[in-house]
Amino acid sequence: IIGKLERSFGSDAETVTKMAKIWLEESSSYDVISCLKHFPGHGSSGGDSHLGLVDVTKSWKQLELDPYKNMINELSVPMIMTTHVINKQLDDHPATLSYKILTQLLREELGFQGVIITDDLGMHAIKKQYDYATAVRMTIEAGADMLCIGNNSDAYNEDVVPQTFDIIYNLVSAGILSAERIHQSAERIRQMKALLK
């Protein structure tokens, strides 16, 4: 779904790393913040997560992490987007909702310090499996800092932003999420915005 539609820089880590570095550096020179995607790898997926949950357990390979490792080690990567694929080699939850993938793998093992943004939470890979409030809770618990809400998969919801705010506020008020966890994300976002001149 990525390679076939020519949505990637290439099929090997070296080419992808080289091209992504050029993209990030050139975008930055024009005061544009770029985002690597889709962590921890969507390249081996044959299905479209816009339409439903895609399982890459049998097709995913560790080398799909190499461009992320290379970029994190060589550059200051400002932002990485998650993917909604499920990869049981890493966890039973879709990557976007997985603490093992976003916090333990991306933050702790790979050392990523920037902003983690979800792919669109309205995509059917998430929407058909989880109610919205559960998805919001799980992705923040997993380590996401920003929530991408395309609001275009089905009927448009003009109240989606205040509803999302209320979900997060209620989770903090109930002690399910800590205020500190929200402040951590806010600080990462502030640091990323400070990259703009």
Side-chain angles (χ1 to χ4, degrees):
I1 199 66
I2 301 294
K4 182 173 71 174
L5 299 177
E6 299 182 343
R7 295 178 59 201
S8 72
F9 286 130
S11 58
D12 66 276
E14 186 177 330
T15 300
V16 171
T17 301
K18 179 180 177 182
M19 303 304 267
K21 281 176 66 177
I22 292 169
W23 183 275
L24 257 69
E25 289 167 349
E26 288 300 309
S27 296
S28 179
S29 73
Y30 287 94
D31 227 15
V32 173
I33 294 174
S34 292
C35 177
L36 305 184
K37 63 178 193 174
H38 302 81
F39 189 83
H42 204 324
S44 62
S45 167
D48 186 345
S49 52
H50 291 86
L51 305 177
L53 193 59
V54 178
D55 190 331
V56 298
T57 304
K58 293 180 180 176
S59 59
W60 185 86
K61 295 178 177 53
Q62 282 280 335
L63 60 82
E64 292 188 50
L65 294 175
D66 288 351
Y68 298 102
K69 291 178 185 175
N70 296 342
M71 298 291 290
I72 290 167
N73 289 335
E74 296 174 23
L75 287 176
S76 177
V77 175
M79 185 164 39
I80 293 179
M81 178 180 278
T82 68
T83 182
H84 298 331
V85 300
I86 193 161
N87 182 345
K88 293 182 182 177
Q89 294 182 54
L90 303 174
D91 196 4
D92 290 335
H93 296 299
T96 298
L97 309 181
S98 169
Y99 182 85
K100 288 180 180 178
I101 293 172
L102 301 189
T103 295
Q104 292 179 343
L105 177 58
L106 182 54
R107 290 236 184 265
E108 295 172 3
E109 188 176 327
L110 300 187
F112 178 62
Q113 300 300 312
V115 170
I116 297 175
I117 184 170
T118 70
D119 205 342
D120 179 10
L121 292 177
M123 289 164 60
H124 288 172
I126 299 297
K127 198 170 187 177
K128 287 182 177 179
Q129 307 294 322
Y130 304 88
D131 66 81
Y132 185 64
T134 299
V136 168
R137 174 184 57 78
M138 287 181 71
T139 195
I140 295 172
E141 288 176 334
D145 301 303
M146 293 178 70
L147 311 181
C148 178
I149 308 164
N151 202 14
N152 62 2
S153 294
D154 295 304
Y156 176 75
N157 177 2
E158 66 181 21
D159 296 319
V160 71
V161 172
Q163 286 172 357
T164 305
F165 176 86
D166 287 345
I167 290 167
I168 296 168
Y169 181 86
N170 292 334
L171 288 167
V172 173
S173 296
I176 297 167
L177 293 176
S178 69
E180 180 186 3
R181 171 67 192 84
I182 304 304
H183 291 309
Q184 287 171 348
S185 290
E187 181 56 29
R188 288 190 193 105
I189 294 165
R190 276 193 289 272
Q191 290 176 6
M192 181 180 70
K193 288 169 71 176
L195 299 172
L196 298 172
K197 297 169 187 158

